[in-house]
């Protein structure tokens, strides 16, 4: 042991003599220590920076959110206020405005992009960009979708009211009516005028902008683009084409003289073809007319229905005609070849009353027969069938469908004196039900009805001598 | 042996000086590192305090506005340092946000006012701007500056940020 100890003592002494080694050790340990401490400090410094960056990001998110909220408020004042584009925000006039293409606050630059997704639907992208530090840029993006919920079409039609009316000079009856882009096109069964254009952009105060005196007695009307097409009983003008570009001065530009003298009853337009149906005669009741040149309508094809063709609608390769036939109140005409249309199928409704009117929405067909409204399915046009029926209390003269509200409402014009106008809930095709009605002043017959999704108003044509034109509104 | 010892002593003095200088460099740098580290840690806490409290009160305010039924003050186009809204709960109407002595308080109906900030931070330049379009339910821009209370004027307690957000009332 002693020997060993003295040996180790010797060793220690020997080592301590080499002082250079000790400084190296100190330097080494100091370096290691410095590295460790630097790493530790780095952690804290970077930690501090990232806390700060996180704060900036949070505030950038708030600014992006502000962009979305501001656009929401601008939208609340009217969907028209948010046109597509890229904008910044300004508070000029102490209200939110879209201004320029971006706006800067503090270190943040914000831009808002508005894009149309679908009709009445827009997506709003609010993005904020900033420089986090010399090397890194940051950005935050918030996307939301705004709908034009203010858009009419969601009114309560269970208690409709008569909002306004117009007394058209003379005592002739309003027959049919069409609405397009805030203008009403109405026909009467005679008198001057018998074709009237009414501005209804403000449904509370409609006014006549123009009119015409058509030859004969108009029976039905359809509007497409700059032209109105009117079916007529006139023996040389079964269909009249009216240029309605100038709402103050409509003008007849073309007439079509069908073979024979049967009265024109229904008219529809799709593409370059007009479809005319007539009262029964030896001549063909269903006629296809090429109207690509409005002042020179040309017969394309026709087929005999062996019954009155009262009204017609077209979808795809098929025409659906409301007829007086007792076993085929609705006839389906194949028009795939316009030169040679043929009756492809029919739908028999109970009883022998004539189907007077027909309207189509997607795969459902709405037929007015006698006092009943029938909801039919034409998903397979060759196998039409009846889903449901509801009595409307009087002769059903015309039907309009609200396409803008999930096809849930049918607006009908009837001859029931106490409830001329009715709203029918057809959301369940098997069980249509009367939702609301309006009793016009006096005992009238409401012959024509039209509905506008944007305005959420129904427009009626009646035989009243003081209010031939009426506007119905939801509450 | 003696000569040897004396020779060794001389070396030891130089060594001592070397050690002292080395260790002082080491100690100075260590304490510098330590103080930097502590400063960074405190600054980190300061920043976190301001950012988190700012975020929190902003959320409370904007959430209240968004869920409000109507705005009492400020009215359209007016900027104020107090906000008063009516909610769908009549027991807490009006709900008022106000700044009293650099502290943000919420007062719900007749209940006593409650401080929304702790004593470590102070709020200044509180602005509620009603920037709504006419005929809309209301849109309030909320702006404030939140600072760490720094009575001794030290850098690590010095942090101040501006917060901006907007809340638009939902349609009734």
């Amino acid at each position: 042991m002693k020997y060993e100890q003295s040996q180790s003592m010797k060793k220690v002494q020997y080592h301590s003599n080499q002082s250079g080694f000790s400084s190296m050790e100190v330097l080494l340990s100091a370096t290691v220590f410095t590295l460790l401490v630097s790493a530790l400090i780095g952690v804290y410094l970077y930690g501090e920076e990232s806390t700060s960056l996180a704060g900036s990001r949070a505030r950038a998110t708030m600014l992006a959110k502000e962009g979305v909220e501001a656009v929401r408020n601008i939208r609340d004042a009217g969907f028209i206020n948010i046109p597509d584009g890229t904008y910044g925000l300004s508070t000029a006039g102490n209200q939110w405005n879209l201004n320029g293409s971006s706006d800067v606050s503090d270190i943040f630059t914000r831009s808002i992009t508005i894009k149309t997704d679908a009709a009445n639907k827009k997506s709003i992208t609010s993005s904020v960009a900033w420089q986090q530090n010399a090397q890194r840029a940051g950005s935050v993006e918030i996307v939301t979708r705004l709908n034009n919920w203010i858009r009419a079409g969601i009114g309560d039609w269970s208690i409709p009211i008569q909002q306004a009316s117009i007394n058209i000079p003379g005592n002739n009856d309003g027959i049919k009516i069409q609405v397009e882009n805030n203008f009403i096109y109405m026909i009467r069964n005679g008198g001057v005028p018998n074709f009237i254009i009414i501005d209804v952009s403000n449904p509370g105060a409609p006014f006549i902008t123009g009119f015409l005196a058509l030859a004969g007695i108009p029976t039905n009307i359809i509007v497409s683009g700059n032209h109105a097409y009117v079916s007529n009983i006139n023996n040389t003008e079964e269909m009249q084409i009216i240029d309605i570009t100038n709402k103050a001065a409509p003008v007849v530009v073309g007439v079509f003289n069908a073979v024979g003298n049967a009265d024109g009853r229904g008219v529809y337009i799709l593409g370059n073809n007009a479809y005319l149906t007539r009262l029964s005669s030896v001549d063909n009741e269903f006629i296809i007319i090429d109207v690509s040149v409005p002042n020179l309508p040309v017969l394309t094809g026709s087929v005999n229905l062996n019954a009155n063709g009262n009204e017609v609608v077209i979808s795809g390769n098929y025409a659906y005609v409301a007829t007086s036939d007792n076993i085929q109140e609705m006839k389906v005409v194949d028009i795939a070849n316009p030169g040679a249309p043929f009756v492809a199928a029919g739908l028999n409704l109970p009883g022998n009353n004539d189907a007077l009117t027909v309207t189509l929405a997607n795969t459902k067909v709405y037929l007015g027969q006698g006092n009943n409204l029938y909801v039919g399915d034409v998903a397979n046009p060759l196998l039409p069938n009846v889903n449901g029926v509801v009595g409307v209390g009087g002769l059903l003269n015309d039907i309009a469908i609200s396409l803008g509200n999930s096809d849930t409402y049918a607006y009908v014009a009837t001859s029931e004196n106490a409830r001329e106008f009715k709203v029918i809930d057809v959301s369940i095709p098997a069980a249509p039900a009367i939702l609301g009605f309006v009793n016009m002043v006096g005992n009238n017959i409401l012959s024509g009805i039209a509905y506008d999704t944007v305005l959420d108003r129904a427009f009626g044509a009646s035989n009243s001598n003081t209010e031939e034109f009426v506007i119905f509104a939801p509450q | 042996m003696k000569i040897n010892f004396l020779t060794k002593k001389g070396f030891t003095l130089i060594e001592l000086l070397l050690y002292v200088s080395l260790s002082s460099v080491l100690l100075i740098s260590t304490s510098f590192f330590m103080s930097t580290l502590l400063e960074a840690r405190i600054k980190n806490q300061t920043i976190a305090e301001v950012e988190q409290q700012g975020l929190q009160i902003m959320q409370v305010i904007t959430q209240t506005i968004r869920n409000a039924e109507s705005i009492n003050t400020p009215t359209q186009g007016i900027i104020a340092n107090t906000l008063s809204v009516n909610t769908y709960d009549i027991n807490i109407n009006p709900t008022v946000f106000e700044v009293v002595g650099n502290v943000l308080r919420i007062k719900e109906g007749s209940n006593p006012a409650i401080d929304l900030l702790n004593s470590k931070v102070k709020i200044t330049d509180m602005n509620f701007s009603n920037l709504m379009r006419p005929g809309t339910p209301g849109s309030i821009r909320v702006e404030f500056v939140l600072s760490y209370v720094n009575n001794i004027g030290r850098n690590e307690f010095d942090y101040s940020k501006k917060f901006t957000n907007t809340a638009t009332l939902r349609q009734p």
Side-chain angles (χ1 to χ4, degrees):
Chain A
M1 279 294 281
K2 264 193 173 176
Y3 174 76
E4 274 184 1
Q5 261 181 343
S6 73
Q7 280 292 309
S8 71
M9 283 289 279
K10 262 184 186 173
K11 250 190 177 173
V12 171
Q13 262 188 333
Y14 175 75
H15 278 290
S16 65
N17 279 345
Q18 310 296 314
S19 57
F21 272 102
S22 294
S23 343
M24 278 303 287
E25 279 169 10
V26 170
L27 279 171
L28 197 68
S29 61
T31 312
V32 170
F33 180 75
T34 313
L35 281 173
L36 283 174
V37 171
S38 310
L40 206 61
I41 287 182
V43 167
Y44 272 92
L45 285 175
Y46 280 113
E48 178 194 319
E49 194 193 7
S50 53
T51 312
S52 169
L53 293 184
S56 295
R57 184 164 288 272
R59 276 174 290 114
T61 311
M62 286 184 199
L63 282 170
K65 188 109 194 178
E66 173 172 83
V68 166
E69 292 283 298
V71 175
R72 180 184 292 275
N73 186 254
I74 295 170
R75 185 279 314 261
D76 283 348
F79 202 67
I80 198 166
N81 294 333
I82 50 168
D84 287 4
T86 300
Y87 309 95
L89 283 176
S90 88
T91 57
N94 284 330
Q95 65 169 28
W96 287 118
N97 302 293
L98 299 171
N99 181 44
S101 61
S102 66
D103 67 289
V104 176
S105 61
D106 207 355
I107 56 167
F108 305 101
T109 306
R110 170 175 55 203
S111 66
I112 295 163
T113 306
I114 300 171
K115 192 173 121 300
T116 298
D117 288 340
N120 296 309
K121 281 193 185 77
K122 296 206 180 207
S123 64
I124 317 297
T125 308
S126 177
S127 51
V128 172
W130 74 103
Q131 200 66 33
Q132 305 202 64
N133 53 31
Q135 298 85 32
R136 270 207 294 172
S139 69
V140 161
E141 198 172 88
I142 290 182
V143 183
T144 192
R145 291 203 165 74
L146 295 180
N147 293 306
N148 184 12
W149 65 270
I150 311 164
R151 167 179 64 99
I154 52 170
D156 183 356
W157 280 100
S158 62
I159 33 170
I161 52 162
Q162 185 178 323
Q163 186 181 16
S165 66
I166 290 183
N167 180 13
I168 294 162
N171 290 339
N172 290 95
D173 304 346
I175 296 290
K176 293 282 178 184
I177 194 162
Q178 281 274 301
V179 59
E180 188 153 292
N181 293 333
N182 291 343
F183 284 96
I184 291 290
Y185 305 90
M186 179 173 155
I187 49 170
R188 296 204 297 172
N189 67 350
V192 177
N194 56 11
F195 176 88
I196 303 115
I197 303 180
I198 300 165
D199 185 327
V200 288
S201 51
N202 177 2
F207 60 92
I208 296 173
T209 61
F211 48 80
L212 261 182
L214 298 171
I217 295 173
T219 54
N220 220 322
I221 181 170
I222 184 96
V223 174
S224 174
N226 289 327
H227 294 95
Y229 303 82
V230 173
S231 59
N232 202 300
I233 67 162
N234 190 298
N235 288 342
T236 55
E237 299 184 9
E238 276 86 353
M239 188 180 78
Q240 296 152 328
I241 303 174
I242 301 151
D243 188 323
I244 50 170
T245 315
N246 182 352
K247 309 296 180 205
V251 55
V252 176
V253 290
V255 294
F256 179 78
N257 182 14
V259 176
N261 292 334
D263 299 353
R265 290 283 294 169
V267 63
Y268 200 86
I269 183 102
L270 190 74
N272 285 330
N273 287 330
Y275 302 83
L276 180 70
T277 59
R278 304 202 291 169
L279 289 184
S280 185
S281 71
V282 291
D283 302 305
N284 287 349
E285 286 87 11
F286 182 89
I287 300 164
I288 304 179
I289 304 149
D290 184 335
V291 290
S292 49
V293 183
N295 56 7
L296 200 66
V298 182
L299 176 72
T300 306
S302 64
V303 66
N304 201 308
L305 299 175
N306 296 316
N308 295 340
N310 289 323
E311 204 165 81
V312 56
V313 288
I314 312 287
S315 174
N317 285 332
Y318 296 94
Y320 303 88
V321 187
T323 75
S324 61
D325 193 311
N326 287 343
I327 53 164
Q328 283 191 334
E329 276 84 356
M330 184 182 79
K331 286 181 190 266
V332 182
V333 181
D334 188 320
I335 52 168
N337 177 5
F342 61 94
V343 176
L347 180 66
N348 185 17
L349 300 178
N352 291 334
N353 285 326
D354 297 355
L356 289 181
T357 180
V358 59
T359 302
L360 195 81
N362 296 321
T363 59
K364 298 293 175 195
V365 68
Y366 302 88
L367 280 161
Q369 184 217 28
N371 292 0
N372 291 325
L373 171 72
Y374 285 90
V375 183
D377 187 288
V378 288
N380 180 354
L382 301 179
L383 284 172
N385 58 76
V386 171
N387 287 141
V389 60
V390 62
V392 296
L395 193 62
L396 207 172
N397 298 314
D398 204 5
I399 307 166
I401 297 289
S402 164
L403 282 164
N405 206 1
S406 311
D407 303 341
T408 47
Y409 295 151
Y411 305 90
V412 297
T414 74
S415 299
E416 189 187 2
N417 288 338
R419 307 193 296 175
E420 290 89 349
F421 170 74
K422 289 191 187 69
V423 183
I424 293 165
D425 185 339
V426 290
S427 53
I428 304 164
I434 293 175
L435 185 74
F437 64 90
V438 170
N439 179 18
M440 291 173 64
V441 176
N443 294 331
N444 303 308
I445 293 169
L446 200 59
S447 303
I449 196 84
Y451 174 80
D452 187 275
T453 310
V454 177
L455 296 168
D456 192 28
R457 294 290 184 275
F459 306 94
S462 86
N463 73 341
S464 165
N465 289 340
T466 51
E467 41 185 27
E468 283 88 348
F469 172 70
V470 277
I471 300 184
F472 301 105
Q475 277 192 353
Chain B
M1 278 294 277
K2 258 187 180 175
I3 295 160
N4 230 1
F5 179 72
L6 278 172
T7 318
K8 269 193 176 173
K9 202 180 174 185
F11 273 114
T12 313
L13 181 64
I14 292 167
E15 274 180 19
L16 190 69
L17 282 170
L18 193 70
Y19 289 155
V20 167
S21 57
L22 272 173
S23 55
S24 55
V25 166
L26 204 66
L27 279 171
I28 288 167
S29 57
T30 308
S31 43
F32 173 73
F33 281 150
M34 283 307 286
S35 83
T36 313
L37 194 140
L38 286 172
E39 242 174 65
R41 179 175 161 274
I42 290 166
K43 184 84 188 192
N44 198 351
Q45 284 179 343
T46 305
I47 295 172
E49 194 78 50
V50 171
E51 297 285 9
Q52 284 172 12
Q53 291 210 48
L55 201 61
Q56 193 242 336
I57 59 169
M58 187 60 96
Q59 269 169 9
V60 170
I61 297 172
T62 51
Q63 211 161 307
T64 307
I65 297 170
R66 238 176 262 134
N67 294 334
E69 188 180 21
S70 62
I71 295 167
N72 302 322
T73 57
T75 49
Q76 187 197 345
I78 302 295
I79 301 171
N81 57 7
T82 303
L83 171 73
S84 169
V85 300
N86 273 352
T87 68
Y88 287 94
D89 181 357
I90 53 162
N91 297 318
I92 57 167
N93 284 345
T95 297
V96 177
F97 290 94
E98 55 186 356
V99 173
V100 177
N102 288 338
V103 176
L104 180 72
R105 305 196 310 178
I106 179 172
K107 193 173 184 307
E108 295 179 318
S110 55
N111 298 323
I114 301 164
D115 289 354
L116 287 176
L117 294 170
N118 65 18
S119 58
K120 287 178 181 164
V121 293
K122 61 176 182 181
I123 193 165
T124 49
D125 302 318
M126 180 85 239
N127 277 330
F128 297 103
S129 327
N130 192 336
L131 296 170
M132 70 183 228
R133 291 279 184 110
T136 62
S139 184
I140 302 277
R141 175 156 75 176
V142 185
E143 293 168 297
F144 57 81
V145 174
L146 207 59
S147 321
Y148 203 82
V149 175
N150 185 10
N151 293 330
I152 46 175
R154 291 187 66 100
N155 172 54
E156 57 265 42
F157 295 125
D158 182 31
Y159 195 77
S160 176
K161 277 292 166 198
K162 186 179 182 188
F163 292 80
T164 309
N165 203 345
T166 292
T168 297
L169 268 72
R170 272 31 181 181
Q171 291 284 342

